[in-house]
Amino acid sequence: MAKIGLIFNGVWSHYALATAPKYRDLYRLLYVHDLDGEAVRDLDALAIPFQSNQAVLTEKQAVIYDFLAAGKKVFLEGDSSTAWLDAQWEDRPVNNYWWVTDPTNPPVSDTNYEHPVYQDLTPRQACWHTHGVYTRVPASAEIIQTNAEGEVITWQTQQYGGTLLATTLDPIVEHGVQQITHLDNYVDHLTEWLCGVRPAPERLTIDAAVYGAGVRL
Amino acid sequence: MLHALLISNGLQGLEKYYVSNEQVQYTTCLITKDFDPDLLPYDLLVVPNGSDHVAMLKIKDKVRAFLDAGRALVCCDGFFTAWVPGNQWVMDNSRRTQDVRYAPGTDRHHLLDNLDLDQLNFSHGMSGWWACGYIEAAPGADVLLADTWQRPIVVLDEVSTGGRMLLTASGPLADVTYAGQSDSALVALYRNFIHLLSTSSVPAHG
């Protein structure tokens, strides 16, 4: 039975990950326009991917904070809005070619590898590219990753009851896109941290039967 | 002047890529729970990268009627639900991105003119950066670009409906020069399609 709710904006990369044979028993797609407390009641964790609809998340923020208040985990990636999150995200140019042009200067320069999501990851597995930075985070936040300028990439707080882990990395979207082939490492760590189940140690594959007429929504 | 309806999923930055100009006037339609836009006032429907294909599936009959009325569609995203008449995008990761190269096919309307294919093949020396998966194209549709394995990546379909559809396998198309980005192949292809729609006195199906 699925343990992680993937808040879903109708974007294909979200769908590709949640319907991949490797993950489909652990993730449930939650269409953002239908999101309510009942939809998340039996879940252990929520994942809010990059390319989410921030305006609708703002409307539905009570669902997220009630979920945290119940002591559960929420993972947030990519951008966010101050309209629903007490943190300031700012856009920055995306550099997804640093490993070709400037391999000694990755977008993340410091990582707390003690965090369960990052334990045993290599630096390349812990950062591929970032979508912006946080210039302000909650006072209680623990900083997990920063860039060379000291700007926050990944942070975590327990101030809402459960654990909120936020990052400007985009593991869910990029793993769904499959143009970066080492993201099984990060997403498997993340999945295990969110729900306590380690996905099978294999590369993500696609089930073509769930595209088009066979779509599963 | 074309009148285009731009479907927006509320994603950051979209409005910078589709800026009204002398050839096309954009109206943005933000997807909501009750998404049900009136398409017929428009000449062109633009479904950009990062769109909501659950919402598009809900209006598939409207899209079909819109196209049968001789109008046009650009969908440059992974249309994983079955809302595009005659064509279906499918994700696939069984081929190595480093082996991806695009080759031109049938181009009766010169949509590939002034297009540097190497810009779609490589970004900073990396291949496979632009599109994902492939399109199961309608029989008789023009495959403008195919990949290394002869799978359709860009399709112009003038046969499945009474209108025109320009479809990519999730390869973004937009005039990103308005956002300060360089004039590149994905801009050229988009502009060429806009030019075709703007200047064509002959509707699809001739």
Side-chain angles (χ1 to χ4, degrees):
Chain A
M1 190 177 79
K3 295 170 174 287
I4 304 167
L6 180 56
I7 297 181
F8 174 47
N9 202 15
V11 171
W12 75 259
S13 58
H14 307 171
Y15 183 82
L17 184 135
T19 59
K22 177 175 178 176
Y23 297 112
R24 64 189 175 196
D25 292 337
L26 297 174
Y27 286 85
R28 179 193 303 164
L29 289 166
L30 300 173
Y31 189 48
V32 68
H33 296 287
D34 297 332
L35 185 67
D36 60 20
E38 181 59 25
V40 305
R41 189 176 52 82
D42 64 337
L43 296 169
D44 294 343
L46 294 179
I48 305 172
F50 182 47
Q51 295 195 317
S52 282
N53 187 323
Q54 298 298 324
V56 182
L57 288 177
T58 302
E59 293 172 14
K60 309 269 187 174
Q61 61 181 295
V63 176
I64 299 166
Y65 286 106
D66 287 349
F67 192 82
L68 282 166
K72 298 182 178 181
K73 289 177 177 170
V74 173
F75 173 70
L76 167 66
E77 70 171 36
D79 61 330
S80 63
S81 167
T82 55
W84 71 271
L85 188 70
D86 180 27
Q88 181 66 56
W89 175 88
E90 287 188 10
D91 199 9
R92 295 285 188 278
V94 178
N95 181 345
N96 54 15
Y97 46 84
W98 61 271
W99 57 277
V100 176
T101 59
D102 193 7
T104 62
N105 189 26
V108 164
S109 61
D110 189 46
T111 296
N112 175 7
Y113 287 101
E114 299 296 312
H115 190 284
V117 172
Y118 292 86
Q119 279 176 10
D120 305 321
L121 293 183
T122 66
R124 276 293 296 277
Q125 292 166 350
C127 175
W128 43 102
H129 59 239
T130 56
H131 289 275
V133 300
Y134 280 97
T135 56
R136 179 177 61 80
V137 297
S140 63
E142 171 192 358
I143 308 304
I144 311 294
Q145 289 185 297
T146 55
N147 65 15
E149 288 72 42
E151 296 169 310
V152 176
I153 303 299
T154 305
W155 54 276
Q156 175 177 290
T157 181
Q158 276 94 27
Q159 80 176 61
Y160 305 109
T163 303
L164 170 64
L165 175 63
T167 182
T168 70
L169 300 171
D170 59 345
I172 292 171
V173 161
E174 282 298 341
H175 202 27
V177 169
Q178 281 288 294
Q179 288 175 331
I180 301 170
T181 55
H182 61 69
L183 292 182
D184 290 277
N185 299 289
Y186 190 107
V187 176
D188 289 3
H189 279 66
L190 174 67
T191 301
E192 185 175 19
W193 179 74
L194 287 171
C195 74
V197 178
R198 180 84 167 178
E202 59 194 30
R203 196 182 157 205
L204 180 151
T205 57
I206 298 295
D207 179 2
V210 301
Y211 289 75
V215 74
R216 292 182 189 169
L217 298 173
Chain B
M1 171 74 81
L2 293 172
H3 293 275
L5 187 66
L6 173 67
I7 303 298
S8 170
N9 208 0
L11 304 187
Q12 204 228 8
L14 187 65
E15 71 285 352
K16 298 176 187 172
Y17 297 143
Y18 298 92
V19 175
S20 295
N21 54 57
E22 63 277 8
Q23 284 195 301
V24 53
Q25 174 76 43
Y26 293 101
T27 299
T28 300
C29 176
L30 188 64
I31 290 175
T32 63
K33 185 175 179 63
D34 302 318
F35 176 67
D36 188 22
D38 182 7
L39 303 180
L40 287 175
Y42 301 96
D43 306 300
L44 171 65
L45 176 63
V46 179
V47 180
N49 214 249
S51 283
D52 182 342
H53 297 277
V54 177
M56 292 308 300
L57 183 64
K58 292 177 182 172
I59 65 163
K60 71 182 177 76
D61 293 339
K62 273 192 166 182
V63 173
R64 174 82 204 207
F66 172 78
L67 289 164
D68 279 339
R71 313 297 168 77
L73 164 70
V74 171
C75 178
C76 51
D77 197 23
F79 44 104
F80 65 91
T81 61
W83 67 268
V84 176
N87 299 266
Q88 183 61 56
W89 174 81
V90 179
M91 180 51 180
D92 179 74
N93 69 338
S94 63
R95 316 290 178 148
R96 298 189 310 174
T97 53
Q98 65 194 76
D99 295 329
V100 172
R101 303 290 185 274
Y102 304 123
T106 303
D107 183 22
R108 68 188 78 205
H109 296 299
H110 305 287
L111 296 181
L112 303 181
D113 282 5
N114 306 312
L115 187 146
D116 182 352
L117 205 50
D118 268 354
Q119 294 178 348
L120 297 183
N121 279 326
F122 301 104
S123 173
H124 296 86
M126 296 177 288
S127 65
W129 72 274
W130 182 61
C132 293
Y134 60 93
I135 296 170
E136 294 172 343
D142 293 343
V143 177
L144 293 177
L145 293 179
D147 70 5
T148 307
W149 306 277
Q150 292 79 52
R151 304 180 304 181
I153 299 300
V154 179
V155 171
L156 177 70
D157 186 344
E158 298 179 302
V159 298
S160 294
T161 71
R164 286 193 173 99
M165 295 183 272
L166 180 65
L167 311 169
T168 76
S170 197
L173 295 179
D175 195 341
V176 298
T177 59
Y178 291 107
Q181 298 182 28
S182 60
D183 191 348
S184 62
L186 63 89
V187 176
L189 181 54
Y190 185 72
R191 282 184 184 159
N192 286 344
F193 188 60
I194 294 295
H195 180 73
L196 170 67
L197 299 179
S198 300
T199 57
S200 178
S201 57
V202 181
H205 293 288

